[in-house]
Amino acid sequence: MDSWHRNRLSKGQAELVESWLPGLRMLNDLSWNLADTAVLEVEHGQRRYIVKAGSPSNHHIEGEIAAHQSSVHVLARQIRAPRLVRADLLLNILVTEYLDGCLVEGSEAEYATATYVQAGSLLRAFHDQAARTDRDYESAATAKALAWLYGRHRIEEYVAERAAALLGAYEPEPVIVVPTHGDWQPRNWLINGTELRVIDFGRYELRPAASDLSRLAVQQWRAVPRLEEAFFAGYGSDPGALSSGTLCSCGKPFPRLPGPTGLAIKSLRNRATACSATPWANSEALFTPAGSLESPQDVMGRPRESCRM
């Protein structure tokens, strides 16, 4: 017989949530069914919450807890991101407040300029919380990209060989890293009336600011270039962390890129419609765990929680 959580949680996780929210009732299972992450909408008293849990090997829950405990508050206090209620790293589970809103992906808001002005403004606030110099980031990112190129993928061989040669010749430099969301795109944005909100911080990490733009550059900005300009209208100009030498197609300064730059995007599409130097800093945007390249359609077409009103 199914439990209240429809067997999505382990016994220990379920008992812990029951102690946090006695008498809770499950409303919806919002899990993606693409990973071992459970995402449950529950009700306790007169309030709704989101329960997220994973197996011990699931690093996204660990990342989300770290994000909430360090950086999400700058958005949560404006009700632009969920507020953390409880978390347990040992059992890999957390509870946040439920945010009202409709998923931006697939809605009219996905290609509305006002959405991207807000997205830029919110991301700038998130990035501006902290910054430090990382002398090892580029070396690690380059090694990771090379490992993917030498593994299984669907990049044309001559492109992979050229990319590997360029990466192998690159001399890593220190870069400035900031708090990043890691998956900044419409499938992780909600729209509540006219207000944009952000969810799903499981890929949180300190990275170069440019890494948060990689998915937008190969998806929405590529399809509708004016959205890029709207985004930078919200994000603003360089306070010192942006490079003066690398420009997006809209002419705005692009955050300084690590060594692995536009190669991955050019392998996805042999044309430069979005940014002429799109970062590879968040290479998860381009490769599956098995090492095969994803097209923008693969990324955009993943199941996600339905529109919520």
Side-chain angles (χ1 to χ4, degrees):
M1 185 175 67
D2 282 353
S3 58
W4 66 265
H5 49 86
R6 300 176 191 170
N7 299 322
R8 287 290 191 179
L9 307 180
S10 69
K11 182 175 183 293
Q13 288 171 336
E15 291 175 348
L16 184 59
V17 174
E18 291 163 8
S19 72
W20 289 341
L21 305 172
L24 83 164
R25 180 172 67 94
M26 181 153 133
L27 300 178
N28 292 298
D29 184 348
L30 304 176
S31 308
W32 296 10
N33 296 319
L34 290 174
D36 69 343
T37 301
V39 184
L40 310 177
E41 178 189 350
V42 303
E43 183 179 59
H44 174 248
Q46 300 300 313
R47 305 185 68 174
R48 287 183 291 171
Y49 300 90
I50 293 293
V51 176
K52 288 190 174 184
S55 70
S57 62
N58 186 319
H59 299 298
H60 286 176
I61 300 300
E62 179 183 352
E64 183 131 8
I65 292 173
H68 279 284
Q69 292 179 339
S70 61
S71 303
V72 177
H73 61 86
V74 72
L75 303 181
R77 65 191 178 204
Q78 304 175 53
I79 320 179
R80 296 301 191 98
R83 186 181 69 84
L84 181 67
V85 177
R86 301 294 293 266
D88 189 291
L89 272 172
L90 185 62
L91 289 177
N92 221 19
I93 189 168
L94 73 152
V95 175
T96 69
E97 292 182 340
Y98 178 91
L99 282 183
D100 286 314
C102 178
L103 197 67
V104 169
E105 185 180 73
S107 73
E108 292 182 2
E110 182 174 0
Y111 292 98
T113 55
T115 300
Y116 290 81
V117 173
Q118 291 188 67
S121 178
L122 293 176
L123 187 60
R124 187 53 176 265
F126 197 70
H127 285 171
D128 276 355
Q129 295 180 86
R132 66 174 177 83
T133 300
D134 189 330
R135 299 185 178 278
D136 300 319
Y137 183 89
E138 285 200 344
S139 296
T142 302
K144 193 173 186 180
L146 284 169
W148 275 324
L149 286 171
Y150 294 138
R152 293 188 305 134
H153 55 68
R154 297 200 302 271
I155 305 174
E156 293 183 45
E157 194 59 34
Y158 80 94
V159 175
E161 290 175 358
R162 176 62 176 153
L166 290 172
L167 290 170
Y170 180 74
E171 296 184 6
E173 299 178 7
V175 292
I176 294 174
V177 295
V178 300
T180 61
H181 180 281
D183 198 10
W184 195 262
Q185 61 167 320
R187 72 173 183 177
N188 290 321
W189 302 343
L190 303 176
I191 196 79
N192 186 47
T194 60
E195 184 176 87
L196 188 70
R197 297 171 171 183
V198 183
I199 57 174
D200 291 352
F201 291 82
R203 292 184 180 273
Y204 170 85
E205 190 177 310
L206 293 178
R207 306 181 182 92
S211 65
D212 266 338
L213 310 185
S214 56
R215 293 195 187 271
L216 293 175
V218 296
Q219 296 175 174
Q220 289 76 21
W221 294 356
R222 169 185 163 188
V224 184
R226 62 182 168 80
L227 300 179
E228 179 187 335
E229 186 169 2
F231 178 92
F232 280 100
Y235 192 87
S237 59
D238 175 21
L242 301 182
S243 166
S244 60
T246 305
L247 299 181
C248 282
S249 57
C250 63
K252 297 294 184 180
F254 203 91
R256 187 190 182 283
L257 306 178
T261 54
L263 300 171
I265 305 305
K266 291 177 184 177
S267 69
L268 282 175
R269 51 177 175 86
N270 191 23
R271 54 190 178 277
T273 311
C275 265
S276 58
T278 303
W280 185 320
N282 185 13
S283 303
E284 291 88 344
L286 304 172
F287 288 85
T288 64
S292 59
L293 187 67
E294 294 182 318
S295 70
Q297 291 74 25
D298 291 333
V299 175
M300 295 173 71
R302 289 173 176 165
R304 195 66 174 88
E305 41 187 277
S306 59
C307 183
R308 305 190 319 220
M309 298 299 292

